């Protein structure tokens, strides 16, 4: 979804940075390898990438972490406010989306049940 939005807005003539996801920093080469020890680092890198994009003045910055908790989203809201960006939050629900990272079904269900709106 995030990639489709980025492509759409680019075709409309906007400068788009992202989508940024902490998972991008969980790769070795082009292979995704989840390492829970790297989570804090990966989230800091994702936030920094968004901050850099906003500082550079991109028209649109897309961040597409799962952001299940309000506390996970708040730093990005604060960042957008700091740089004068409007926020568009998109929540995707349903089971028809492909699990690209091999997360066990039980964990996906647990994540769905912890979403704070």
């Amino acid at each position: 979804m995030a990639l489709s939005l980025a492509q759409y807005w680019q075709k409309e003539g906007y400068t788009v940075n992202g989508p940024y996801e902490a998972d991008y920093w969980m790769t070795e080469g082009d292979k995704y390898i989840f390492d829970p020890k790297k989570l804090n680092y990966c989230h800091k890198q994702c936030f920094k990438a968004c901050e850099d994009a906003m500082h550079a003045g991109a028209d649109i910055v897309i961040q597409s972490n799962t952001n299940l908790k309000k506390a996970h989203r708040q730093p990005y809201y604060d960042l957008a406010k700091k740089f004068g960006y409007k926020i568009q939050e998109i929540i995707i629900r349903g089971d028809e989306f492909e699990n690209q990272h091999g997360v066990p079904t039980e964990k996906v269900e647990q994540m769905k049940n912890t979403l704070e709106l």
Side-chain angles (χ1 to χ4, degrees), residues 4-60:
S4 294
L5 286 170
Q7 291 169 354
Y8 171 81
W9 289 115
Q10 286 169 337
K11 286 178 186 174
E12 293 294 314
Y14 292 92
T15 58
V16 180
N17 285 41
Y20 296 112
E21 298 174 355
D23 285 331
Y24 291 161
W25 287 271
M26 287 275 185
T27 58
E28 292 181 20
D30 61 350
K31 186 173 181 181
Y32 176 79
I33 301 172
F34 179 75
D35 180 352
K37 291 180 243 159
K38 290 174 64 177
L39 273 173
N40 190 43
Y41 167 79
C42 294
H43 280 282
K44 284 182 180 180
Q45 292 301 110
C46 183
F47 184 84
K48 176 83 168 95
C50 289
E51 183 175 38
D52 290 348
M54 290 179 190
H55 181 72
D59 294 322
I60 297 170

Side-chain angles (χ1 to χ4, degrees), residues 35-97:
D35 180 352
K37 291 180 243 159
K38 290 174 64 177
L39 273 173
N40 190 43
Y41 167 79
C42 294
H43 280 282
K44 284 182 180 180
Q45 292 301 110
C46 183
F47 184 84
K48 176 83 168 95
C50 289
E51 183 175 38
D52 290 348
M54 290 179 190
H55 181 72
D59 294 322
I60 297 170
V61 179
I62 299 174
Q63 186 268 65
S64 56
N65 287 323
T66 52
N67 297 311
L68 298 172
K69 304 287 185 188
K70 291 178 184 179
H72 298 160
R73 297 186 294 271
Q74 191 61 52
Y76 290 97
Y77 295 161
D78 295 343
L79 187 64
K81 184 177 179 180
K82 173 182 172 182
F83 286 99
Y85 282 82
K86 293 180 183 177
I87 297 168
Q88 177 67 52
E89 185 176 298
I90 299 173
I91 298 171
I92 301 173
R93 296 181 182 195
D95 298 319
E96 63 275 1
F97 299 100

